[in-house]
Amino acid sequence: MSPVLIVGAAVTVVVAAVRSTWSPCGWSMLSTITPLTERGRGHRFGATASWFVGGAVLGGALLGGVAAVLASLVDGSGASATVRLAIGGGAALAAALLDARHLGPTLPHHRRQVNEEWLDEFRPWVYAAGFGLQIGTGLSTYIMTGAVYLVIVLAALSGAATTAALLGTAFGLLRGLAVLTGRGNVDPARLAVFHRRFADLDEPVRRAVIAVLVAVGAGLLSGAAGLPTVVGVALPTGVLVVAAAAVGSRHYAAATSIRDNAPLSSATELARRTNEPTTA
């Protein structure tokens, strides 16, 4: 099993999960499952959020199961490590082009929302786990980045069913944990400020993900070309760290200077472009 491929896959899992939070469904969860909203329903945020994370982990495990089956097929094909790295590198660059809007169809894909009526019809553990399950799979609601597809490709190229399953599960876990970023939204004012800051980070995160995907592609291709392993491992990891630092700096700037006219949700802008509803 190539360490370059595993590192590239792990980095991709992180950026795929992070970028997916800016989907309309991700926005909805950060508005729907908060201390403020759960208190209004007579529920405890901690319990509801736990069910959401658990559902997301299960969704990620389902994604990992599919990837594990594909990994077994790849392992049985007898493809060499060089071929796998080359395919993975090409797929990563294709994902970067997709996110950069140079390769169609235009993101987001599969423009589907979870059913907001569940909030009134079911107990919190049902709607929270159900929402988490759908979001954790990565494919059943809005797909915001080609990195989601790349997670499956690289997990399959690992040729190891266990590794592929763990990568999928990790993706679901990270997606679920995103709901905890709203744990401080205990009143309407804090919720509004949170979403304005979050909106400010949408484009910086998209650009950072593109840079990381290019680095992953370059790292995998360097491995296929026989360059030292440290090159293929350090390149995507280093770019991920730099991108995270850049986005963090942008977040700090947004936190200290909030625009009064900033949108509360990117879902509204997306709906204006697509003429689609923005319900949760």
Side-chain angles (χ1 to χ4, degrees):
M1 189 184 305
S2 170
V4 174
L5 185 59
I6 298 305
V7 170
V11 169
T12 301
V13 164
V14 173
V15 297
V18 170
R19 177 57 185 154
S20 295
T21 307
W22 273 263
S23 71
C25 268
W27 277 97
S28 295
M29 293 303 98
L30 293 176
S31 299
T32 301
I33 302 179
T34 69
L36 173 65
T37 56
E38 287 305 295
R39 185 173 66 245
R41 300 186 189 103
H43 306 147
R44 292 185 297 113
F45 170 74
T48 304
S50 296
W51 281 109
F52 180 84
V53 174
V57 170
L58 179 57
L62 293 174
L63 179 69
V66 172
V69 172
L70 297 175
S72 297
L73 295 176
V74 169
D75 184 49
S77 71
S80 67
T82 298
V83 170
R84 296 182 194 180
L85 288 169
I87 294 174
L93 295 180
L97 288 173
L98 184 61
D99 280 32
R101 301 167 186 154
H102 295 309
L103 185 67
T106 303
L107 291 164
H109 297 167
H110 190 50
R111 303 180 180 200
R112 175 186 172 276
Q113 292 272 31
V114 296
N115 189 349
E116 66 175 352
E117 294 180 359
W118 287 17
L119 296 169
D120 299 319
E121 296 177 356
F122 300 116
R123 295 178 182 275
W125 72 269
V126 176
Y127 67 70
F131 289 162
L133 175 66
Q134 295 174 69
I135 285 178
T137 64
L139 299 175
S140 62
T141 59
Y142 279 77
I143 300 172
M144 297 298 293
T145 171
V148 174
Y149 303 123
L150 185 60
V151 167
I152 302 173
V153 172
L154 297 184
L157 290 173
S158 72
T162 301
T163 298
L166 289 175
L167 289 169
T169 303
F171 170 81
L173 174 62
L174 291 176
R175 286 227 60 187
L177 290 175
V179 76
L180 299 181
T181 61
R183 65 188 180 279
N185 296 330
V186 297
D187 56 57
R190 292 189 183 186
L191 183 62
V193 169
F194 174 86
H195 279 283
R196 287 169 182 159
R197 292 174 180 172
F198 205 67
D200 282 335
L201 292 175
D202 188 356
E203 183 61 15
V205 168
R206 186 185 74 87
R207 293 178 180 273
V209 169
I210 293 171
V212 173
L213 291 177
V214 171
V216 169
L220 295 175
L221 291 176
S222 70
L227 296 179
T229 299
V230 66
V231 175
V233 170
L235 187 56
T237 305
V239 172
L240 175 62
V241 172
V242 171
V247 171
S249 298
R250 179 62 178 267
H251 175 70
Y252 177 78
T256 55
S257 178
I258 303 300
R259 295 180 289 110
D260 292 336
N261 62 344
L264 293 182
S265 173
S266 62
T268 303
E269 181 182 355
L270 178 62
R272 187 164 60 248
R273 298 198 306 264
T274 61
N275 294 319
E276 294 189 5
T278 60
T279 57

